[in-house]
Amino acid sequence: MQIVADLAGVPGKDCRGYCKYCYFKKTKPIEPLGCKHCPPGKVGCRVCGEGVQEMGRDFLPLFAVVNNVQNTLMLNPPRDNNLKVNISGGGDVSCYPQLEELISTINQWQIPMHLGYTSGKGIDDGNIASQFINQGVEEVTYTLFSVDPELRRKWMGDSKPEESIKAAQIFGENASLHAAAVIIPGVNDGEVLRETCNKLEEWGAKAFMMMRFANSFDQGLILRNEPIIEGITPHEPLEFEELVKEINSEYKLRVTGTPLSDPTINAPFIISKPGYEDFLDILPKVTGEATLLTSKIAEPFLTRIFNKIGAEDVNVIGTKKDIACLMTKEDLESLDLDEIKESVILPGRAFIHQMDAERILSKDGTERIIGYGPDTLSVDGELSSGMTEEEVIEHELESFIELIQAINFFGMKRVF
């Protein structure tokens, strides 16, 4: 069981300034995008509005964070010995001004802690990592970028990169360190990337997540802030997947990538791969007729699965967007409506209001029925790095059962 100690915090403000590659850099206030959580006749809610931009949530005071954790413990008493408090937020955890006091307080309850995503930019003395470990911090997720201090100084705005790297080393040698890096072509890939992996392996880090840099709307910049960095062309998805596999084969670290892939357990979409066909027999029969709209990356996997289970009345169409969870109504505008069936299933986490989807997808005069599928159909390297193959397969089967149920409901064949 994991309890989240949410510190809140605003990107760019509560992290000692934007990194050069930050997803939130150059953002301006935008109108709500729309999603399945919005009221039926209105576009906009907490999820697709300020939630997407992570605005208006300054760091919470210590007493508020502690009270929230205590209330969660009272309402959901731990039933086993696997309880852990995950300290995270919208800002950088290491920049939380009362982090030492918070860790000390939670330690009094004898509950181990996980420091969620931190860049370490808030660490002025690397030895603080030893103190945190002695007070119950057992796991740390650390955005390292590079072990080259000057690269951290230039690209992350890290004023004391030697200290943040020292802290990462201490966490690696004495706790469970899960490192991460946004990979920018020509900057921290190639030999620079391998030197980072060499150090991580030397320190005893548990895992390393490679995150593909995004620099355009189609790659996921939905906050009207493209490009983040002029003149940088990110890796293509399959090119990036090959790089992840290459690094994974060279090191003992559990190397994963987002959006692709996890070579150790063959994720994402394990059940689409050769050798896993027997799991498809568990899926219910598809009796509905529908079009599944998804991302460019997910489309081949979904097509393979529905072809294998003989779902002839289901067609899968990939939009230009790389990530299905970041699809917006603009991704529907360029679709060929001749290919779209009368029932359409959208990704559950897409930022598209049903009302917008109905309007855009019915421009040819056919009133189409719009439904939403499950939030996710598989997991990317960010989540799979902490999962087993069996856990991912279980998640995929549950998700595809839910998706087929949506197809059968919204795409019900009507006899007149």
Side-chain angles (χ1 to χ4, degrees):
M1 178 182 174
Q2 197 172 87
I3 293 175
V4 176
D6 184 7
L7 308 181
V10 178
K13 174 184 175 184
D14 297 314
C15 56
R16 294 191 174 181
Y18 290 112
C19 296
K20 280 192 174 184
Y21 53 81
C22 181
Y23 177 87
F24 293 99
K25 189 180 176 185
K26 295 166 60 176
T27 57
K28 300 177 180 65
I30 62 171
E31 293 296 319
L33 298 167
C35 66
K36 70 177 181 180
H37 302 287
C38 295
K42 179 185 177 184
V43 175
C45 67
R46 172 70 181 86
V47 174
C48 64
E50 61 183 34
V52 177
Q53 303 175 71
E54 297 197 16
M55 297 179 66
R57 299 179 71 237
D58 290 335
F59 272 145
L60 295 172
L62 177 63
F63 76 87
V65 178
V66 171
N67 283 346
N68 289 340
V69 173
Q70 286 180 315
N71 289 338
T72 303
L73 284 169
M74 290 174 60
L75 294 172
N76 300 282
R79 300 177 181 176
D80 52 43
N81 294 322
N82 295 321
L83 178 65
K84 185 175 291 185
V85 174
N86 182 5
I87 302 174
S88 64
D92 189 318
V93 169
S94 68
C95 296
Y96 185 64
Q98 296 170 293
L99 182 60
E100 293 182 52
E101 294 94 323
L102 175 61
I103 289 174
S104 178
T105 300
I106 296 175
N107 184 51
Q108 292 176 13
W109 302 334
Q110 296 185 320
I111 302 175
M113 284 160 276
H114 169 211
L115 291 186
Y117 269 121
T118 176
S119 70
K121 284 163 62 175
I123 295 176
D124 294 324
D125 180 356
N127 291 315
I128 194 71
S130 296
Q131 176 184 318
F132 289 162
I133 292 167
N134 291 333
Q135 292 180 322
V137 172
E138 295 184 349
E139 186 177 11
V140 182
T141 305
Y142 208 99
T143 300
L144 194 58
F145 189 75
S146 171
V147 292
D148 182 333
E150 291 311 309
L151 281 179
R152 278 189 61 98
R153 194 187 313 274
K154 177 179 177 180
W155 285 85
M156 301 183 71
D158 189 350
S159 61
K160 296 187 177 180
E162 293 84 2
E163 296 303 318
S164 55
I165 293 171
K166 179 180 179 181
Q169 178 177 353
I170 293 172
F171 284 130
E173 293 173 344
N174 300 281
S176 181
L177 175 65
H178 297 256
V182 175
I183 307 300
I184 302 176
V187 177
N188 65 337
D189 58 352
E191 289 308 308
V192 175
L193 174 59
R194 282 168 173 79
E195 178 57 25
T196 297
C197 292
N198 288 337
K199 287 295 183 183
L200 287 172
E201 198 159 81
E202 178 185 314
W203 299 342
K206 298 294 185 259
F208 178 52
M209 183 174 67
M210 297 166 57
M211 309 169 75
R212 185 183 70 137
F213 175 56
N215 208 26
S216 69
F217 181 78
D218 288 346
Q219 292 163 353
L221 299 187
I222 59 175
L223 300 179
R224 307 301 177 196
N225 57 333
E226 63 171 327
I228 294 175
I229 306 175
E230 297 283 354
I232 295 288
T233 301
H235 296 93
E236 287 297 319
L238 295 181
E239 176 191 14
F240 186 74
E241 181 181 24
E242 287 305 311
L243 178 59
V244 173
K245 290 179 178 178
E246 190 177 305
I247 296 298
N248 180 69
S249 69
E250 296 176 17
Y251 295 91
K252 296 177 183 179
L253 299 162
R254 172 76 178 272
V255 178
T256 61
T258 179
L260 294 169
S261 63
D262 186 339
T264 302
I265 60 173
N266 221 12
F269 297 104
I270 298 175
I271 62 174
S272 73
K273 312 288 175 62
Y276 297 89
E277 291 87 352
D278 289 348
F279 288 105
L280 299 179
D281 295 336
I282 299 173
L283 300 179
K285 182 178 177 59
V286 177
T287 59
E289 181 176 355
T291 292
L292 304 182
L293 296 183
T294 187
S295 68
K296 179 172 67 176
I297 290 176
E299 182 273 324
F301 297 111
L302 269 63
T303 296
R304 196 176 306 144
I305 289 172
F306 281 96
N307 283 344
K308 285 183 177 180
I309 63 176
E312 298 177 356
D313 291 325
V314 173
N315 67 325
V316 182
I317 296 179
T319 61
K320 293 180 180 179
K321 189 63 61 63
D322 284 348
I323 311 296
C325 296
L326 297 174
M327 285 170 53
T328 64
K329 63 183 180 181
E330 286 83 358
D331 294 302
L332 308 183
E333 297 282 2
S334 59
L335 296 176
D336 182 354
L337 296 183
D338 289 339
E339 298 179 356
I340 310 295
K341 297 181 183 293
E342 291 189 14
S343 297
V344 179
I345 308 297
L346 299 174
R349 281 165 53 177
F351 290 108
I352 305 172
H353 194 286
Q354 182 174 0
M355 185 170 58
D356 284 330
E358 289 172 349
R359 172 179 55 81
I360 295 169
L361 298 178
S362 299
K363 285 183 176 180
D364 61 351
T366 300
E367 293 187 8
R368 290 180 168 83
I369 298 170
I370 307 297
Y372 292 91
D375 281 358
T376 59
L377 293 174
S378 187
V379 294
D380 67 2
E382 185 172 354
L383 290 176
S384 69
S385 63
M387 301 173 72
T388 64
E389 180 184 90
E390 291 76 16
E391 288 171 333
V392 175
I393 290 173
E394 181 179 359
H395 172 77
E396 290 180 357
L397 289 174
E398 290 175 353
S399 297
F400 273 90
I401 289 171
E402 185 180 342
L403 175 60
I404 291 172
Q405 289 171 342
I407 293 169
N408 292 345
F409 178 77
F410 291 105
M412 186 184 302
K413 295 180 182 178
R414 294 161 179 81
V415 179
F416 297 98

